[in-house]
Each structure stands twice: as C-alpha cells, then as structure tokens.
Amino acid sequence: MEFWSEIGHGWQLAFSTPNLVMIVIGVLLGSLVGTISGLRAIHGVALLLPLSHTFSLPIESTLILLLTTYYSAEFGRQGTAGYHADNQSEKKQLAMIQTLAGIGSFCGGLTAIVGMIISIILIRQVVINFGPAEYFALVIFAFASLSIRAGQYPIRTFISLIIGIMMATIGIDSTTGTMRFTMGIPQFFDGIEFTTVVVGLFVISKLFELLAQPRQEPSPFLKIEPLRVNKISILACRWAMLRSAVIGFIIGILPGGGAILASRVGLQIEQTCFASDQDKLRGRLKAIVAEETANSSAVGGAMVPLLALGIPGSGTAAIMLGALLLHNITPGPGLFTQYAPLIWALLLSMAFGNLLLLCLYWPITRLFSRVKEIPGWVFGPVLLVLSFIGVFSINESSLSLLIMLFLGICGYLLERYHYPLPPLLLGFVLGSLMENTLRRALAISGGDLSILHTSPICRTLWILTLIVVLLPSLLSRVFRNHRFGNKQRP
C-alpha cells in the first residue's frame, strides 16, 4: 500500500497545475535551445538554475523544469544537422528524416523511463551497504569514466578534472577548520558558490564564443514539408532503435558520459557492426535513428546515478545535483525514503513531457524553423542579462558577478584549447565528496588503507575502474580492425 501511496502522491505532484505549466515551459524552452546553433541542453539548464531560484520555485517544480528542458533540448536535434534540401525530392527525404528523428527520440525517452525504474529499484538494494570506503571508490570510478569521453585529448580532460577538484578545496576545511586558498576574502570562506561556477563556465563562456564567431549571411529559409510517416522505413529501423536505446542508456549511466557521447557511440556501433544496407538512404535513416534514440535514452541514464547515489552521469545532471543541494536535499538512499513522491513525480512528468514532445514535434519544428537563421551573437545580450539577474539574486554580491565573468573568460579559453568543461564541473561537484569520504574511511580504520579495497563492493568498483580506463583503447582497436576487415572483403 505504501508503494501505491507514493505513486499517488507523485501523480498529484507531477500533474498539479503549476507543474504542468513547468512541463510545457520546459518543452518549449528546451526545443528552442536545441534549435539555436551552438547551444546545448547544458547551457539552457545552467541558465535556468539561478532563474528558478530567483522566482522561488519549489523543488519539484524546479527539477521538473530542468529535467524537461534537458531532454527536450536533445529531442530530434540531430536529424537535420548538416542536411540541406535543394529540390523537392530532397525535401521529402528531409521530412522523412525529421519524422524518424522524432520517433527515435520518443522511443529513446520511453526506454530510458523503463530503465530508470528498473535500475533505481536494483541500485536501492545495493546502495544500503555503501559506507565511506565504497563511496570513495565510487567517486574514483566516476572520475575514471571520464576517459571514455576523453577522445583525442585524455591529458587535457584529466587537467580539467584536476582544476575542478582544486576549486572544490577553496574555503574552510570542514574537518580541521583551516582556511584553504581563500586569500583572506570572506566570500570565499564557504567556497565558490555553485550557481556562480555553473553560469560562469557554461553561459558566460558560451556568450564569448558566440560573440567571437564571424558574422555570416543567414542561410535561405527552407520551407518545411509536412512530416511523412512511412511504416516501411520505421519497421526497417526498429532494431536500430532498440540497440541504440540500450546503448545510450548504458552510456548515460556512466559518469561523464552524456548525450553527445551516447549519440556518437550509438552511431559508431550502428555504422561499424550493422551497416549491411546497400540502400544509402536507408543506411542514413538508420544512422539518424541511432543518434536520436541514443542521446534521448542517455538523458534518463544520467539521472540514475544522480538520484540513487548522488553521482551525476553528465555535466547537465551535475547542475541538477546543484539544484537539489540548493534546497538542502542530499541524493542517495535517503532520497527514496524521505522524498519518494518526488522521484515518481519526476518519472511521470518525464513520461508526459516525452509524449507531449512527440505530439508537438511538427508544430515546434515549424515554429522554431527560422530561429536557425538568427546569428549567434544576437543572443549574447539576452544571456548576459539573465546571467546577471540569476547570480545576483542568489548571492546579492558584486564580487560573485566578477567571479562569474572571470570563470566565463577561463571557460572560453579552456574550450578554445580543447580542455572540456564537463569534467571540470564534475571535479568541482565531487571533489568534496571524495575528500570527505576518504577521511571518514581512514578515521574508521585508524589510517589503514586496506579499508579501501577489502569489501566486495570496493573490489568490484576498483575492477570497473580499471575496465573503463582500458575500454577506450580496446574499443578503438576493435573498430579499427573491423574497418580494416571490411576493406579486405571483395
């Protein structure tokens, strides 16, 4: 009875009038962010976090707004990327591509919701046995998982992570009371405020990037044909949808994975292992379905470790962790006992928002079709004003605005020289947790380091850490050998 009571309370929260309004706003804002060239979900969520605090939204409305914006920004955004239709035949192909992009995103989101329910139920049974040593090993595993998304710049990814961990040490040491890197500034005694870091790194840095882009002539407006539903093409792509949904969800669960990595991996696996179609159009459709399904499924996957363990699965999920902490809610096992209706409200609102996106996909596509013609620098003043309002409303300090601008400049320079920002944010969010759990574990064992690897959970996490560190090189070798083998076929 308690289980159904929790679902009933979650239903009431999700479908209350204010939260239904949040779902609609999140769908529209997320779709707009996904349409604007150069912006992704993390930029929209980073901007909405301080604004939601400004309007004093309750925690359930804040999380529903952020989560809806998150997956709406990833819904169908890859389908027409780089695709130009010059004649009527290509316009019909574009309409079919858009249709499959929307259906693939819907299926990915639906799979993610089912996967979230199953994963959270399973993780709840294990996380009860987590102590300080297990949490320390889990954070190390989270940091090691960043190697999967490191790509060509593993050293720079590691440097970004270290910078984030160093930023987390600023302030008064909670154990010894020692001042660390505060430079005698009172505003640094409690560390750098989370929203200041998020807005500075992801909104202000993106503002500088938009302003630095050369002005281009707007592309001619492309008249969008009505979306076309072709049952044959949908059935031909059904297995690509299923494979990519599972792959995207798994990638999303890995800390630091995210929707971008999931879409790339889904596309890579589909093209490398299942590219048997001689029809170029059908092969293209399957590739788009793989991208769309994987990145939408990854959004739900990223929420699993966040809700169950307090470990964000992506940079955007790390911002949502900050939203929970701003409302004095600590994710983890206690979240399912104290705030179980909130969890169900998020799942139900995600299901409704996903269905709403599918129903409104055609009108939204037409509504925001001309947004792509607007130069990126036009959005600069809007981002700047909203950033100042959001950060100042939380801190009410001019120093916070200066720190935000400084971090924005640093973030722009880091991105320009290929130092990724999501690892920096994850290091900033998880650095304190790593330090505190290590200290508590050593205090329990009297300084004996063996406590970090004696329990079965710790040993499992250390083995997984080793696997994710070696996995990128192994996968690249497998894909390279597969391509080489394909070239040798007659």
Side-chain angles (χ1 to χ4, degrees):
M1 291 298 295
E2 182 181 356
F3 175 76
W4 293 108
S5 176
E6 292 173 351
I7 295 180
H9 285 100
W11 180 280
Q12 293 177 359
L13 280 177
F15 297 106
S16 63
T17 302
N19 290 335
L20 284 175
V21 173
M22 290 298 105
I23 294 175
V24 174
I25 293 175
V27 165
L28 295 177
L29 288 179
S31 301
L32 178 61
V33 169
T35 304
I36 299 174
S37 177
L39 294 186
R40 295 201 65 89
I42 193 169
H43 303 112
V45 175
L47 187 60
L48 285 176
L49 175 60
L51 292 178
S52 64
H53 188 276
T54 302
F55 292 103
S56 302
L57 295 180
I59 179 59
E60 62 271 11
S61 299
T62 299
L63 290 179
I64 287 174
L65 175 62
L66 297 182
L67 180 58
T68 307
T69 304
Y70 184 7
Y71 62 75
S72 298
E74 302 295 345
F75 195 98
R77 67 168 291 144
Q78 303 288 343
T80 59
Y83 191 90
H84 301 284
D86 298 324
N87 53 53
Q88 191 64 28
S89 176
E90 291 181 350
K91 288 180 181 180
K92 291 181 179 180
Q93 291 182 11
L94 179 58
M96 174 56 65
I97 287 173
Q98 290 175 322
T99 302
L100 286 176
I103 295 175
S105 294
F106 174 76
C107 293
L110 190 63
T111 303
I113 294 170
V114 176
M116 286 173 66
I117 296 173
I118 297 174
S119 301
I120 289 175
I121 292 175
L122 295 177
I123 292 177
R124 283 179 63 178
Q125 308 302 319
V126 178
V127 80
I128 298 175
N129 301 316
F130 269 52
E134 286 77 12
Y135 265 104
F136 174 76
L138 179 64
V139 174
I140 298 300
F141 169 71
F143 290 158
S145 299
L146 293 172
S147 62
I148 298 178
R149 65 171 295 159
Q152 301 177 351
Y153 306 103
I155 301 299
R156 298 181 187 184
T157 301
F158 179 73
I159 292 175
S160 291
L161 174 64
I162 295 300
I163 294 174
I165 295 175
M166 292 174 63
M167 290 173 59
T169 63
I170 296 175
I172 300 177
D173 189 338
S174 58
T175 303
T176 64
T178 305
M179 298 284 188
R180 301 189 299 186
F181 313 113
T182 61
M183 296 174 286
I185 301 175
Q187 285 85 350
F188 285 167
F189 290 173
D190 293 328
I192 305 178
E193 208 277 325
F194 179 78
T195 55
T196 303
V197 174
V198 168
V199 175
L201 288 178
F202 293 99
V203 180
I204 301 301
S205 65
K206 177 55 65 173
L207 166 63
F208 289 134
E209 181 181 332
L210 293 175
L211 294 177
Q213 291 177 353
R215 298 189 180 185
Q216 299 177 350
E217 292 295 328
S219 56
F221 174 66
L222 176 63
K223 182 180 179 181
I224 299 178
E225 293 288 319
L227 298 185
R228 299 174 181 272
V229 180
N230 187 324
K231 294 181 180 179
I232 297 177
S233 298
I234 295 174
L235 290 176
C237 298
R238 64 188 184 278
W239 295 116
M241 288 185 191
L242 180 60
R243 285 190 296 264
S244 300
V246 175
I247 292 169
F249 186 76
I250 295 173
I251 294 295
I253 290 178
L254 293 176
I260 298 177
L261 178 64
S263 63
R264 291 175 181 172
V265 173
L267 175 63
Q268 184 73 33
I269 291 178
E270 192 65 32
Q271 290 182 335
T272 304
C273 302
F274 301 99
S276 58
D277 287 311
Q278 300 299 323
D279 187 347
K280 291 184 178 181
L281 176 59
R282 181 169 295 185
R284 175 175 175 79
L285 293 179
K286 285 187 176 182
I288 290 170
V289 164
E291 284 185 295
E292 288 305 321
T293 309
N295 70 0
S296 294
S297 183
V299 173
M303 297 301 296
V304 172
L306 169 63
L307 297 175
L309 302 168
I311 305 294
S314 66
T316 314
I319 299 176
M320 299 191 66
L321 172 61
L324 287 168
L325 298 177
L326 282 175
H327 288 81
N328 297 318
I329 297 177
T330 302
L335 190 64
F336 299 96
T337 55
Q338 301 177 27
Y339 301 96
L342 176 62
I343 304 298
W344 287 110
L346 288 177
L347 291 172
L348 291 170
S349 65
M350 187 174 180
F352 177 71
N354 199 40
L355 180 61
L356 185 63
L357 274 167
L358 181 65
C359 296
L360 298 179
Y361 182 57
W362 164 236
I364 286 177
T365 302
R366 290 188 62 88
L367 180 64
F368 295 137
S369 58
R370 290 186 177 271
V371 174
K372 295 181 181 180
E373 304 177 32
I374 302 175
W377 56 267
V378 173
F379 297 99
V382 179
L383 294 177
L384 185 63
V385 171
L386 294 178
S387 300
F388 271 73
I389 292 174
V391 171
F392 188 80
S393 65
I394 293 178
N395 302 285
E396 297 183 357
S397 168
S398 57
L399 180 61
S400 297
L401 300 179
L402 295 177
I403 295 173
M404 177 188 70
L405 292 174
F406 175 74
L407 291 175
I409 296 172
C410 294
Y412 168 71
L413 294 175
L414 288 172
E415 283 272 88
R416 184 176 180 180
Y417 294 101
H418 306 292
Y419 290 85
L421 296 181
L424 191 154
L425 181 61
L426 288 175
F428 178 73
V429 170
L430 299 178
S432 298
L433 178 62
M434 179 185 68
E435 180 184 14
N436 293 333
T437 52
L438 177 60
R439 283 180 167 177
R440 289 170 56 194
L442 294 179
I444 293 173
S445 66
D448 186 4
L449 292 174
S450 63
I451 191 176
L452 301 178
H453 57 79
T454 51
S455 72
I457 297 177
C458 284
R459 287 196 292 267
T460 302
L461 289 171
W462 287 116
I463 292 173
L464 291 175
T465 299
L466 181 62
I467 290 174
V468 298
V469 170
L470 299 177
L471 189 62
S473 60
L474 293 176
L475 288 178
S476 63
R477 187 172 302 176
V478 169
F479 286 140
R480 186 169 59 249
N481 291 339
H482 187 90
R483 289 198 190 98
F484 180 76
N486 286 341
K487 291 181 180 179
Q488 299 301 318
R489 293 176 184 174

